[in-house]
Amino acid sequence: MSNAERAEAMVVFARTSDAPGSRSHTQLLLEKDGLPADRYRYRPRFPSVGMRGVRLGGIEFDDCPVGPETVVGRLGQGVENAFRSFQITRTALPAMATPILDTGLRTTLRFVRSRRLYGGHAGDLPLVRRTVAEAFTDLLVCDAVATTGTRAVHLLPGATALYSPAVKYLVSKRLMDAMDRLSVVLGAHFYLREGEFAIFQKQLRDLQVVGFGHAARVVCLSTVLPQLPGAARRADRAGGTPALLSRIGAPLPPLDFGRLALAATGPDELATVPARMAEELAGSTDHRALAGLAAVFAAEAERVRVEASALAPRDLAVGGPADALEIAARWTTVVAAACCLTTWRDNRDGGDPFLADPLWAEAALTRLLGGTGRGDGRLPPERAEPLYRALLDRDDAGLGFDLARRELPG
């Protein structure tokens, strides 16, 4: 348990029945000021090398009375509530972490615009510009996946059990990889703890927790994997994603916690997006490149569907072959491409020229090709250079680097 001493209230996963099975536990919401002070005590803090700001420890209860009003949901629903809660936290926590890359990019830009090298600035070097542009593109990918995944909790609650671990796996990985590449640009300055660029090392360290805190990435893939064969078999029932699934800032219906399924029961709507978009954009001279990239991911989605349908029950269990998890990882890349496509589709008429331009979506899908084995994910100059210039313009104007491009305070 973390921060037990600091918290005013806590949710306790408690055994409420001696019967075996999943119905023997219940979640209880306990406010500490309502508990007898002599009926609970704190365990010593567990020492940790990192995460020193998080007090890891425990709490012991000794015949501590609690009332029925503390029960979350119904008695015996603890496991179901936990699994449904995971769908929200696995979506929300990576989304909250995306601004770390924004700060990392802003710090790196400040460095390359001031650092003198070879008679010019570091930002004049093509390799530096491409590295920064690729990190910017990764931020847009993560924002698109996080935005779509969060809105899916409201609009596709029956499929969130499948999509939420994909958000946690892919967003956390791409954020960390992008920050690592930016650290190479900063060189020895990335680990300095004082001075103009010191915030970078703090953000880099803080971000590592996103990859394993709450649920590790391999756990997320292990959650996705058993659901893929069923989703593959239901592919012919897909009817298309909801309108405005990825529309930034559009109103959403209230979150109905009870509609969150413990496992996906419907078709995988996002996996069908690349094929639908490739067909929709076919023949358009303005979107020929994006249509071609969508077609590549449509083929990858079909390849994943076939391979997932062929998985045996033993392949889906913990400790199964690593190749099976690799299928799940490639599937998350297809979902990420779908999120970028729906984000471009749902926002191209919203008045933001950047979002309407297919350039960023083309760059996003190009970066994602590295996760399919069909490309290395590197941006060619004709995509990297305009993105780098767009980043400079936002930096000068005090705008956020994410998809919403809001004005920053101060």
Side-chain angles (χ1 to χ4, degrees):
M1 177 180 287
S2 60
N3 297 319
E5 292 187 56
R6 295 171 173 170
E8 296 179 358
M10 67 191 78
V11 176
V12 175
F13 188 76
R15 177 176 282 278
T16 51
S17 171
D18 293 330
S22 62
R23 296 289 181 179
S24 59
H25 287 75
T26 303
Q27 286 180 328
L28 306 176
L29 176 59
L30 305 181
E31 297 184 24
K32 288 194 295 188
D33 60 2
L35 301 176
D38 60 343
R39 299 298 180 89
Y40 69 91
R41 59 185 174 273
Y42 299 109
R43 297 289 298 162
R45 180 177 180 179
F46 184 81
S48 58
V49 176
M51 299 175 61
R52 288 174 295 177
V54 178
R55 299 181 64 85
L56 299 175
I59 187 169
E60 289 183 353
F61 295 95
D62 184 13
D63 197 23
C64 185
V66 296
E69 72 280 358
T70 65
V71 173
V72 178
R74 296 194 300 272
L75 280 173
Q77 270 193 335
V79 173
E80 290 96 326
N81 284 344
F83 283 159
R84 289 189 175 97
S85 299
F86 285 163
Q87 295 176 35
I88 297 174
T89 54
R90 285 175 176 171
T91 304
L93 294 180
M96 295 177 188
T98 55
I100 291 179
L101 180 52
D102 186 299
T103 298
L105 274 165
R106 204 169 300 277
T107 306
T108 305
L109 269 187
R110 192 161 62 246
F111 174 78
V112 301
R113 298 180 85 173
S114 61
R115 177 70 167 170
R116 301 289 298 182
L117 284 174
Y118 310 120
H121 290 102
D124 298 331
L125 300 176
L127 179 59
V128 169
R129 298 168 79 90
R130 184 174 73 173
T131 301
V132 173
E134 288 175 348
F136 176 35
T137 306
D138 288 343
L139 174 60
L140 299 178
V141 170
C142 291
D143 196 13
V145 173
T147 298
T148 304
T150 302
R151 295 178 67 83
V153 175
H154 297 257
L155 300 173
L156 292 170
T160 304
L162 183 59
Y163 295 143
S164 60
V167 174
K168 173 63 187 290
Y169 170 79
L170 189 131
V171 171
S172 62
K173 185 177 189 307
R174 295 199 81 84
L175 289 175
M176 288 189 290
D177 288 349
M179 285 290 284
D180 284 342
R181 289 192 303 275
L182 290 178
S183 73
V184 175
V185 175
L186 268 73
H189 291 77
F190 91 85
Y191 57 77
L192 296 180
R193 300 197 174 197
E194 295 180 354
E196 186 179 3
F197 312 113
I199 188 63
F200 190 93
Q201 56 81 28
K202 180 186 185 302
Q203 300 287 58
L204 184 64
R205 286 185 290 111
D206 289 348
L207 187 57
Q208 306 309 306
V209 183
V210 181
F212 66 85
H214 173 260
R217 296 196 304 275
V218 70
V219 173
C220 292
L221 288 183
S222 298
T223 303
V224 165
L225 185 61
Q227 302 181 71
L228 285 185
R233 289 191 293 270
R234 296 187 295 268
D236 58 348
R237 291 164 45 189
T241 56
L244 305 182
L245 175 64
S246 304
R247 184 63 174 262
I248 298 171
L252 286 166
L255 172 62
D256 187 344
F257 189 76
R259 290 185 62 202
L260 296 175
L262 299 182
T265 56
D268 181 1
E269 301 288 2
L270 282 174
T272 66
V273 166
R276 295 175 186 275
M277 291 294 290
E279 182 179 356
E280 176 187 324
L281 299 175
S284 171
T285 56
D286 294 335
H287 304 126
R288 183 177 299 145
L290 187 58
L293 286 163
V296 172
F297 280 95
E300 179 67 9
E302 177 61 18
R303 184 162 70 117
V304 168
R305 186 192 69 79
V306 171
E307 294 178 12
S309 299
L311 290 172
R314 66 178 179 275
D315 299 329
L316 308 177
V318 175
D323 289 349
L325 285 180
E326 192 266 340
I327 295 173
R330 284 169 34 224
W331 172 84
T332 66
T333 305
V334 171
V335 168
C339 292
C340 294
L341 288 166
T342 56
T343 299
W344 175 75
R345 178 198 68 189
D346 292 350
N347 294 279
R348 56 179 165 171
D349 61 349
D352 185 341
F354 181 84
L355 289 180
D357 192 335
L359 169 69
W360 78 264
E362 294 167 9
L365 267 61
T366 301
R367 293 288 296 144
L368 289 167
L369 284 176
T372 67
R374 296 168 180 255
D376 60 9
R378 305 310 303 268
L379 292 183
E382 62 270 20
R383 291 193 176 117
E385 188 58 28
L387 286 171
Y388 183 80
R389 291 196 300 270
L391 198 61
L392 294 178
D393 291 342
R394 291 191 187 196
D395 193 35
D396 291 338
L399 300 176
F401 293 159
D402 59 359
L403 291 165
R405 205 172 60 157
R406 295 184 179 92
E407 185 174 354
L408 299 178

